[in-house]
Amino acid sequence: MSAHGRALGAALVLAASAGFGTIPLFAHLAFDADVAPETATVARFAIASACLSPWLPAAVLRPRPAALALATGLMLGFGVAMWFRALAALPVATGTMIFYLFPAFAVAIGWAVFRRAPSAALLGGAALVLGGAALVVGPATLGDGQTTVVAHALLAPIGYALLL
């Protein structure tokens, strides 16, 4: 790969990371403008679907992986809808911390479903993620009725971990 290709790839990864990291902020702005969490979810996935639609005919060639990808996408979409609903009721930092539990879920799913024993580094990373989340989203920091909101919000990182 050329130096130009590497630079472009790095720039695209940086742009995607910045966009991904601002989702909770833009979700709160949308909610402040009276956009429903479900509407925000549909808009988020509709844009991605439109961008990826040119590759849809390839799904016919490999129906089983395409069906698995569709099922995972639907679960992730439902999880994101629940996460957006939680973001409407929780501070941005709390909602963001909940979503960034996905590495710990990815390690657990890899171990439980795919029988891939995690390395010490993966277990350490998962422990750090869980420890950080416990500090930010622990029972002492949640108000009345927010435990259920947090439980629903956990569907998003689980869906994202399955996608990974």
Side-chain angles (χ1 to χ4, degrees):
M1 178 179 276
S2 69
H4 179 268
R6 283 191 300 276
L8 177 61
L12 290 172
V13 167
L14 183 61
S17 298
F20 193 73
T22 59
I23 290 171
L25 176 64
F26 285 117
H28 261 274
L29 292 173
F31 304 149
D32 290 345
D34 293 329
V35 174
E38 293 79 10
T39 304
T41 303
V42 169
R44 180 175 186 258
F45 284 101
I47 293 167
S49 295
C51 291
L52 295 173
S53 64
W55 288 275
L56 192 57
V60 175
L61 301 175
R62 301 194 56 188
R64 187 168 183 227
L68 182 60
L70 178 63
T72 303
L74 289 172
M75 182 179 174
L76 178 59
F78 178 72
V80 168
M82 298 309 302
W83 181 57
F84 277 2
R85 185 165 284 285
L87 282 174
L90 298 171
V92 172
T94 303
T96 302
M97 192 64 224
I98 290 168
F99 187 81
Y100 284 106
L101 285 170
F102 75 83
F105 284 118
V107 169
I109 290 168
W111 196 354
V113 176
F114 300 108
R115 294 196 168 95
R116 296 194 65 184
S119 66
L122 282 176
L123 285 175
L128 286 173
V129 167
L130 292 171
L135 292 173
V136 176
V137 192
T141 63
L142 297 176
D144 291 337
Q146 288 186 328
T147 305
T148 302
V149 172
V150 169
H152 290 154
L154 287 172
L155 294 173
I158 292 170
Y160 193 66
L162 283 171
L163 181 68
L164 293 176

